[in-house]
PDB file of all heavy atoms in Angstrom:
ATOM      1  N   ILE A 925      -0.023  -2.794 -18.198  1.00 98.00           N
ATOM      2  CA  ILE A 925       1.025  -3.579 -18.863  1.00 98.00           C
ATOM      3  C   ILE A 925       2.381  -3.498 -18.179  1.00 98.00           C
ATOM      4  O   ILE A 925       3.241  -4.353 -18.366  1.00 98.00           O
ATOM      5  CB  ILE A 925       1.138  -3.178 -20.347  1.00 98.00           C
ATOM      6  CG1 ILE A 925       1.863  -4.291 -21.124  1.00 98.00           C
ATOM      7  CG2 ILE A 925       1.833  -1.825 -20.494  1.00 98.00           C
ATOM      8  CD1 ILE A 925       1.775  -4.154 -22.615  1.00 98.00           C
ATOM      9  N   THR A 926       2.586  -2.486 -17.339  1.00 98.00           N
ATOM     10  CA  THR A 926       3.869  -2.375 -16.646  1.00 98.00           C
ATOM     11  C   THR A 926       4.184  -3.637 -15.860  1.00 98.00           C
ATOM     12  O   THR A 926       5.332  -4.104 -15.848  1.00 98.00           O
ATOM     13  CB  THR A 926       3.865  -1.166 -15.699  1.00 98.00           C
ATOM     14  OG1 THR A 926       3.556   0.009 -16.440  1.00 98.00           O
ATOM     15  CG2 THR A 926       5.217  -0.996 -15.027  1.00 98.00           C
ATOM     16  N   HIS A 927       3.190  -4.194 -15.177  1.00 98.00           N
ATOM     17  CA  HIS A 927       3.446  -5.373 -14.349  1.00 98.00           C
ATOM     18  C   HIS A 927       3.940  -6.563 -15.167  1.00 98.00           C
ATOM     19  O   HIS A 927       5.003  -7.133 -14.858  1.00 98.00           O
ATOM     20  CB  HIS A 927       2.210  -5.742 -13.537  1.00 98.00           C
ATOM     21  CG  HIS A 927       1.955  -4.822 -12.385  1.00 98.00           C
ATOM     22  ND1 HIS A 927       2.953  -4.356 -11.561  1.00 98.00           N
ATOM     23  CD2 HIS A 927       0.805  -4.282 -11.910  1.00 98.00           C
ATOM     24  CE1 HIS A 927       2.447  -3.565 -10.633  1.00 98.00           C
ATOM     25  NE2 HIS A 927       1.135  -3.501 -10.827  1.00 98.00           N
ATOM     26  N   PRO A 928       3.229  -7.009 -16.202  1.00 98.00           N
ATOM     27  CA  PRO A 928       3.753  -8.163 -16.952  1.00 98.00           C
ATOM     28  C   PRO A 928       5.076  -7.889 -17.650  1.00 98.00           C
ATOM     29  O   PRO A 928       5.917  -8.787 -17.764  1.00 98.00           O
ATOM     30  CB  PRO A 928       2.638  -8.487 -17.947  1.00 98.00           C
ATOM     31  CG  PRO A 928       1.763  -7.286 -17.985  1.00 98.00           C
ATOM     32  CD  PRO A 928       1.867  -6.635 -16.660  1.00 98.00           C
ATOM     33  N   LEU A 929       5.292  -6.648 -18.111  1.00 98.00           N
ATOM     34  CA  LEU A 929       6.577  -6.332 -18.729  1.00 98.00           C
ATOM     35  C   LEU A 929       7.713  -6.441 -17.717  1.00 98.00           C
ATOM     36  O   LEU A 929       8.778  -6.992 -18.018  1.00 98.00           O
ATOM     37  CB  LEU A 929       6.554  -4.934 -19.344  1.00 98.00           C
ATOM     38  CG  LEU A 929       5.708  -4.748 -20.597  1.00 98.00           C
ATOM     39  CD1 LEU A 929       5.771  -3.296 -21.059  1.00 98.00           C
ATOM     40  CD2 LEU A 929       6.150  -5.680 -21.717  1.00 98.00           C
ATOM     41  N   SER A 930       7.497  -5.909 -16.519  1.00 98.00           N
ATOM     42  CA  SER A 930       8.557  -5.957 -15.513  1.00 98.00           C
ATOM     43  C   SER A 930       8.850  -7.387 -15.079  1.00 98.00           C
ATOM     44  O   SER A 930       9.961  -7.695 -14.639  1.00 98.00           O
ATOM     45  CB  SER A 930       8.186  -5.100 -14.299  1.00 98.00           C
ATOM     46  OG  SER A 930       7.127  -5.664 -13.556  1.00 98.00           O
ATOM     47  N   LEU A 931       7.875  -8.285 -15.206  1.00 98.00           N
ATOM     48  CA  LEU A 931       8.076  -9.693 -14.877  1.00 98.00           C
ATOM     49  C   LEU A 931       8.803 -10.440 -15.994  1.00 98.00           C
ATOM     50  O   LEU A 931       9.621 -11.323 -15.734  1.00 98.00           O
ATOM     51  CB  LEU A 931       6.726 -10.363 -14.603  1.00 98.00           C
ATOM     52  CG  LEU A 931       6.009  -9.922 -13.327  1.00 98.00           C
ATOM     53  CD1 LEU A 931       4.555 -10.398 -13.348  1.00 98.00           C
ATOM     54  CD2 LEU A 931       6.726 -10.452 -12.090  1.00 98.00           C
ATOM     55  N   ALA A 932       8.509 -10.104 -17.245  1.00 98.00           N
ATOM     56  CA  ALA A 932       9.069 -10.846 -18.379  1.00 98.00           C
ATOM     57  C   ALA A 932      10.495 -10.436 -18.728  1.00 98.00           C
ATOM     58  O   ALA A 932      11.341 -11.289 -19.045  1.00 98.00           O
ATOM     59  CB  ALA A 932       8.175 -10.656 -19.607  1.00 98.00           C
ATOM     60  N   LEU A 933      10.792  -9.143 -18.684  1.00 98.00           N
ATOM     61  CA  LEU A 933      12.045  -8.636 -19.247  1.00 98.00           C
ATOM     62  C   LEU A 933      13.310  -9.169 -18.582  1.00 98.00           C
ATOM     63  O   LEU A 933      14.319  -9.376 -19.270  1.00 98.00           O
ATOM     64  CB  LEU A 933      12.033  -7.109 -19.250  1.00 98.00           C
ATOM     65  CG  LEU A 933      11.076  -6.492 -20.279  1.00 98.00           C
ATOM     66  CD1 LEU A 933      10.948  -4.987 -20.079  1.00 98.00           C
ATOM     67  CD2 LEU A 933      11.550  -6.800 -21.702  1.00 98.00           C
ATOM     68  N   PRO A 934      13.335  -9.412 -17.256  1.00 97.00           N
ATOM     69  CA  PRO A 934      14.574  -9.976 -16.689  1.00 97.00           C
ATOM     70  C   PRO A 934      14.973 -11.308 -17.320  1.00 97.00           C
ATOM     71  O   PRO A 934      16.166 -11.588 -17.493  1.00 97.00           O
ATOM     72  CB  PRO A 934      14.227 -10.146 -15.207  1.00 97.00           C
ATOM     73  CG  PRO A 934      13.189  -9.112 -14.938  1.00 97.00           C
ATOM     74  CD  PRO A 934      12.365  -9.072 -16.204  1.00 97.00           C
ATOM     75  N   TYR A 935      14.000 -12.140 -17.668  1.00 98.00           N
ATOM     76  CA  TYR A 935      14.304 -13.437 -18.285  1.00 98.00           C
ATOM     77  C   TYR A 935      14.755 -13.275 -19.733  1.00 98.00           C
ATOM     78  O   TYR A 935      15.565 -14.055 -20.231  1.00 98.00           O
ATOM     79  CB  TYR A 935      13.081 -14.339 -18.237  1.00 98.00           C
ATOM     80  CG  TYR A 935      12.645 -14.712 -16.840  1.00 98.00           C
ATOM     81  CD1 TYR A 935      11.591 -14.051 -16.224  1.00 98.00           C
ATOM     82  CD2 TYR A 935      13.294 -15.724 -16.134  1.00 98.00           C
ATOM     83  CE1 TYR A 935      11.179 -14.386 -14.940  1.00 98.00           C
ATOM     84  CE2 TYR A 935      12.898 -16.063 -14.858  1.00 98.00           C
ATOM     85  CZ  TYR A 935      11.837 -15.389 -14.260  1.00 98.00           C
ATOM     86  OH  TYR A 935      11.449 -15.719 -12.982  1.00 98.00           O
ATOM     87  N   LEU A 936      14.208 -12.258 -20.422  1.00 97.00           N
ATOM     88  CA  LEU A 936      14.529 -12.059 -21.832  1.00 97.00           C
ATOM     89  C   LEU A 936      15.850 -11.327 -22.018  1.00 97.00           C
ATOM     90  O   LEU A 936      16.435 -11.365 -23.101  1.00 97.00           O
ATOM     91  CB  LEU A 936      13.420 -11.255 -22.519  1.00 97.00           C
ATOM     92  CG  LEU A 936      12.021 -11.886 -22.535  1.00 97.00           C
ATOM     93  CD1 LEU A 936      11.033 -10.924 -23.186  1.00 97.00           C
ATOM     94  CD2 LEU A 936      12.035 -13.216 -23.258  1.00 97.00           C
ATOM     95  N   GLY A 937      16.302 -10.622 -20.976  1.00 95.00           N
ATOM     96  CA  GLY A 937      17.507  -9.815 -21.105  1.00 95.00           C
ATOM     97  C   GLY A 937      17.258  -8.501 -21.805  1.00 95.00           C
ATOM     98  O   GLY A 937      18.167  -7.912 -22.386  1.00 95.00           O
TER      99      GLY A 937
END
Side-chain angles (χ1 to χ4, degrees):
I925 199 168
T926 304
H927 286 318
L929 289 179
S930 70
L931 291 166
L933 289 171
Y935 296 100
L936 299 177

